[in-house]
Amino acid sequence: MAIKITVNGQERRIAADPDTPLLWVLRDELRLTGAKFGCGAGQCGACTVHLNGAPVRSCVVPVSGAVGADVRTIEGLADTPLARVQDAWLAAQVPQCGYCQPGMIMAVAGILAESPAATPAEVRARLTNICRCGTYDRIAQAIDTLFPATTG
Ligand code: FES
Ligand code: FES
């Protein structure tokens, strides 16, 4: 059936079953392959995108749940003030294989969007995404650079 969703500010129409995971629609129908498939069970965060500014795990969100909402993927983050998270990742040279990193960046950007007054420690505590390469120290460094005037 035809479904209309808004992704990165653009209205898109796709033919999909309403129960299709949003991640499949983004990757297979819209060719937005930044969000990755990791566990498919809402556990790892590799598939993180924003739904109305909040981070969600798109492998467990049916595309019907995105109708009427603003979906933003890593491909559209550069058009927002939260592009500074990508800049911080680059400056700290966080990625190793890189597979988990779009989800990491979108998760941190989503936490900051939801809680602009969060401290670095709070952002780190809320970040539950998994990195098989173990880049957690660099991730913590990158998060800290987003808060140049604070500690913790
Ligand atoms: Fe979605 Fe792991 S692939 S949480
Ligand atoms: Fe390889 Fe995170 S950088 S899984």
Side-chain angles (χ1 to χ4, degrees):
M1 82 183 262
I3 290 182
K4 199 165 59 176
I5 58 175
T6 303
V7 182
N8 298 331
Q10 291 190 323
E11 195 175 283
R12 311 294 296 263
R13 286 174 185 274
I14 37 111
D17 185 284
D19 292 334
T20 307
L22 176 61
L23 179 63
W24 292 167
V25 170
L26 294 173
R27 290 183 54 85
D28 296 346
E29 303 295 330
L30 303 181
R31 303 295 176 197
L32 294 167
T33 56
K36 299 292 189 284
F37 176 79
C39 63
Q43 299 294 315
C44 73
C47 62
T48 304
V49 301
H50 295 177
L51 208 56
N52 290 333
V56 297
R57 296 186 168 180
S58 62
C59 68
V60 291
V61 175
V63 67
S64 58
V67 174
D70 283 323
V71 179
R72 191 158 295 272
T73 70
I74 189 79
E75 289 87 349
L77 194 68
D79 301 330
T80 78
L82 290 164
R84 66 194 179 96
V85 180
Q86 286 173 299
D87 296 339
W89 250 242
L90 281 172
Q93 298 188 30
V94 174
Q96 290 191 25
C97 81
Y99 195 83
C100 71
Q101 300 296 338
M104 289 284 183
I105 291 169
M106 292 305 283
V108 169
I111 293 167
L112 291 173
E114 282 187 322
S115 306
T119 65
E122 287 166 348
V123 174
R124 289 195 298 271
R126 286 177 58 181
L127 182 64
T128 57
N129 293 32
I130 293 169
C131 172
R132 289 186 62 177
C133 296
T135 62
Y136 300 108
D137 285 347
R138 293 284 179 100
I139 288 168
Q141 284 175 33
I143 290 171
D144 284 345
T145 67
L146 294 165
F147 300 85
T150 62
T151 57

